Amino acid sequence: MLKIARRAQNAFATAKSSNQESLNGLRMLQICGKQYACDDWTNLPSSILIKAQRPIKLHNSLDHPLQVVKKRIQNALISSDTCSKYAIRDELDPVVSAVQNFDQLLVPTDHVSRSKSDTYYVNEKYLLRTHTSAHQSELISECIMSGSYDGFLAAADVYRRDEIDSVHYPVFHQMEGVRLFKSVQDVTRALQCIQNVDLETASCNQVENPRQSVHDPKFQHMVSVHLKATMESVMKSIFQNPNLQFRWIDTYFPFTSPSYELEILWHGKWIEVLGCGVVRDEIIKNVASPHQIQINDYNNGIGWAFGIGLERIAMILFNIPDIRLFWTDDERFHSQFKGIDNRNIQFNPYSKYPPVYKDVSFWTNAQFHENDFAELVREYADDLVENVTLIDSFTHPKSGRESRCYRVLYRSMERNLLNTEIDKIQEQVVKNLKDVLNLDIR
Ligand code: FA5
Ligand code: MG
């Protein structure tokens, strides 16, 4: 871990000097106009820092497919459910506290998402949000205090150390939605506003995905029905495709129960597009306690929440084959979405340039985490890496050591790659596997 932290700090040291300052010997990092002291937890590479500070985020850039999808989801929600009034937010600072990202959402202290291998930390207390749920408590509080909204819709950039392939990228975008109900009457009224509601759709596996015991069962069932009906109505309205195939999966999130995921069939594969569920009662109660007077209406209230991946929707809707394309400056990409408004277009790939494959084999060690390897490749290859795949692994019968072979596929979205430039990148990757991740190359 120590080594990994040191590598991450090396990467961090390459960040633009304007982001770094020293105050009484403490290394400081400036992000979005605020100063943070670095510590052992800091693991922010410069490429990520630059994306976190883009003056206009992709989901707010006119005619960017992510902005188009954000607008369509907002409009679909507002028009599918005229009984609910949502506050709209899309300018939230990407740096949040670990309290907001994890504690307020009841994420257990030993949950893997809190580890440095999964999350970009500014320092021990602050990080780049890993999901838009990080804003749930603050926005639920604003919503209740305002007295004029039933919920909110918040779109934002989110950051995760993750694997590398065509649907995973370390920076992506989500939209969080929350709807609060004060009473059974409240949800009954809201259900009347949605067409074709199927009361059976909210069934779930009660053992692994239980309803919360503090809730009135009928009230909670209706909230789940409203949630699933709303999500289905939004998807139908966005895709305008009566043959769209989707399915609900029971799942687990620390902050909702019951919890569900929605998957859509795309090119023969089920793609997960959103996670959602009934908000854990403690979250609403914790928000409520400091504002006792305003919260009274919600004392027995129940809410639902969802988090949609905007890239996933945009990829399915416009047939965009690779998640890296959202970050391109290439006009051949952007010109296809100019003035798109409500039209449904299919992205026309301008050209698929040839790939360059490089394999690397090494003996792993106890500290090895695949995400550290992925991050290392990104650090040197940036968007030239298309995916990293484990192609072989075995354990040596005598030494018990594990060997892995990974194939790195390099491909540019914009041009032909030269073998010599990829050799140089791969050389750096291998060097760092040895020197920084301390792995024995085979
Ligand atoms: C969450 O992030 C939860 N916060 C969602 C949620 C909100 C649940 C509110 C309950 C209540 P998850 O990690 O599954 O869950 O991500 C949600 C969606 O974000 C996924 O369904 C997917 O569409 C998208 N997503 C997740 N990881 C990536 C990635 N690396 N690249 C692109 N999209 C991603
Ligand atoms: Mg998920």
Side-chain angles (χ1 to χ4, degrees):
M1 260 343 231
L2 235 176
K3 279 276 183 192
I4 292 164
R6 202 169 303 134
R7 178 188 65 72
Q9 282 184 8
N10 288 345
F12 150 74
T14 64
K16 279 203 172 142
S17 56
S18 62
N19 287 324
Q20 291 179 58
E21 273 164 39
S22 182
L23 197 69
N24 302 328
L26 260 184
R27 274 186 327 120
M28 303 294 289
L29 198 51
Q30 186 173 328
I31 313 176
C32 303
K34 289 187 196 138
Q35 296 273 352
Y36 300 90
C38 300
D39 61 20
D40 285 356
W41 286 73
T42 312
N43 66 352
L44 274 174
S46 55
S47 56
I48 296 292
L49 210 44
I50 290 166
K51 289 189 163 75
Q53 305 201 90
R54 270 179 83 96
I56 302 178
K57 298 288 173 70
L58 301 184
H59 65 281
N60 290 330
S61 303
L62 184 67
D63 287 347
H64 189 284
L66 297 176
Q67 186 255 358
V68 173
V69 164
K70 175 193 80 174
K71 280 271 165 212
R72 288 190 189 178
I73 299 174
Q74 288 168 349
N75 291 341
L77 254 154
I78 291 164
S79 56
S80 84
D81 177 3
T82 46
C83 295
S84 309
K85 198 151 180 268
Y86 296 98
I88 306 283
R89 302 292 296 268
D90 55 18
E91 297 275 5
L92 297 155
D93 195 330
V95 179
V96 299
S97 65
V99 171
Q100 287 173 290
N101 201 80
F102 301 120
D103 300 344
Q104 287 177 348
L105 292 163
L106 316 171
V107 176
T109 48
D110 59 354
H111 196 274
V112 56
S113 62
R114 290 185 185 248
S115 77
K116 282 199 274 185
S117 344
D118 282 45
T119 294
Y120 293 108
Y121 279 91
V122 176
N123 58 31
E124 190 179 359
K125 292 210 162 64
Y126 291 93
L127 49 92
L128 297 182
R129 72 183 146 233
T130 64
H131 52 176
T132 43
S133 302
H135 300 285
Q136 257 189 32
S137 290
E138 103 203 46
L139 297 181
I140 287 176
S141 162
E142 276 183 33
C143 178
I144 292 174
M145 299 281 281
S146 78
S148 38
Y149 292 105
D150 309 300
F152 65 82
L153 301 175
D157 38 323
V158 304
Y159 299 78
R160 286 186 201 171
R161 299 182 89 227
D162 215 330
E163 57 201 287
I164 298 183
D165 63 29
S166 61
V167 291
H168 288 88
Y169 197 80
V171 189
F172 59 101
H173 296 75
Q174 287 184 334
M175 186 191 288
E176 191 85 1
V178 167
R179 170 64 157 104
L180 301 170
F181 301 93
K182 296 172 185 152
S183 61
V184 174
Q185 288 74 13
D186 204 5
V187 67
T188 306
R189 247 192 323 270
L191 276 168
Q192 283 161 0
C193 292
I194 308 180
Q195 283 160 8
N196 302 327
V197 174
D198 174 3
L199 284 169
E200 286 308 306
T201 58
S203 56
C204 57
N205 178 338
Q206 282 293 322
V207 179
E208 280 158 25
N209 194 18
R211 303 227 160 83
Q212 297 167 56
S213 55
V214 289
H215 287 152
D216 167 52
K218 180 178 167 213
F219 186 8
Q220 187 168 114
H221 177 73
M222 291 173 82
V223 170
S224 293
V225 171
H226 188 269
L227 165 62
K228 285 189 162 183
T230 305
M231 294 298 100
E232 288 185 14
S233 153
V234 166
M235 291 302 148
K236 281 179 190 151
S237 143
I238 292 175
F239 287 100
Q240 295 166 6
N241 173 2
N243 298 323
L244 184 78
Q245 286 197 53
F246 53 81
R247 66 180 187 193
W248 285 103
I249 313 273
D250 280 351
T251 191
Y252 165 81
F253 294 107
F255 33 94
T256 49
S257 193
S259 307
Y260 313 97
E261 276 168 356
L262 184 66
E263 295 186 343
I264 293 183
L265 193 62
W266 188 50
H267 297 313
K269 262 168 94 177
W270 288 102
I271 307 276
E272 179 202 317
V273 294
L274 67 90
C276 64
V278 176
V279 179
R280 289 261 303 269
D281 191 57
E282 297 96 303
I283 296 175
I284 299 179
K285 293 276 154 55
N286 289 344
V287 165
S289 49
H291 317 292
Q292 208 52 53
I293 298 161
Q294 287 86 348
I295 201 79
N296 275 342
D297 275 354
Y298 285 95
N299 269 345
N300 298 309
I302 304 183
W304 57 237
F306 69 79
I308 298 187
L310 299 187
E311 277 81 353
R312 298 273 171 92
I313 302 284
M315 288 174 86
I316 298 171
L317 189 56
F318 302 126
N319 211 12
I320 297 174
D322 193 299
I323 197 165
R324 289 176 296 168
L325 281 163
F326 294 107
W327 295 92
T328 186
D329 290 326
D330 199 316
E331 263 310 298
R332 288 174 296 178
F333 177 78
H334 293 288
S335 60
Q336 300 192 32
F337 299 96
K338 286 253 160 68
I340 168 169
D341 206 22
N342 277 325
R343 275 178 304 126
N344 251 353
I345 63 141
Q346 292 293 284
F347 173 66
N348 188 10
Y350 21 94
S351 172
K352 189 134 180 167
Y353 295 93
V356 178
Y357 295 99
K358 298 284 166 193
D359 292 354
V360 58
S361 300
F362 49 83
W363 297 106
T364 60
N365 57 29
Q367 292 82 39
F368 178 73
H369 192 297
E370 208 164 62
N371 288 351
D372 293 322
F373 178 47
E375 180 95 346
L376 189 63
V377 181
R378 276 199 201 282
E379 202 177 306
Y380 289 96
D382 203 7
D383 283 356
L384 298 184
V385 56
E386 183 167 307
N387 71 50
V388 174
T389 328
L390 179 67
I391 55 170
D392 188 31
S393 73
F394 73 90
T395 304
H396 191 278
K398 285 205 181 118
S399 64
R401 293 177 84 192
E402 184 203 28
S403 166
R404 292 196 191 191
C405 180
Y406 283 94
R407 175 159 297 164
V408 184
L409 188 164
Y410 295 96
R411 190 201 317 258
S412 167
M413 297 271 120
E414 283 132 30
R415 62 186 174 85
N416 270 314
L417 292 177
L418 299 173
N419 229 321
T420 47
E421 69 177 317
I422 298 306
D423 280 342
K424 275 196 199 127
I425 293 174
Q426 184 73 6
E427 237 171 66
Q428 287 298 324
V429 169
V430 173
K431 185 174 179 326
N432 278 269
L433 279 173
K434 280 191 288 204
D435 298 351
V436 181
L437 296 187
N438 221 6
L439 298 165
D440 291 335
I441 308 297
R442 296 191 57 223

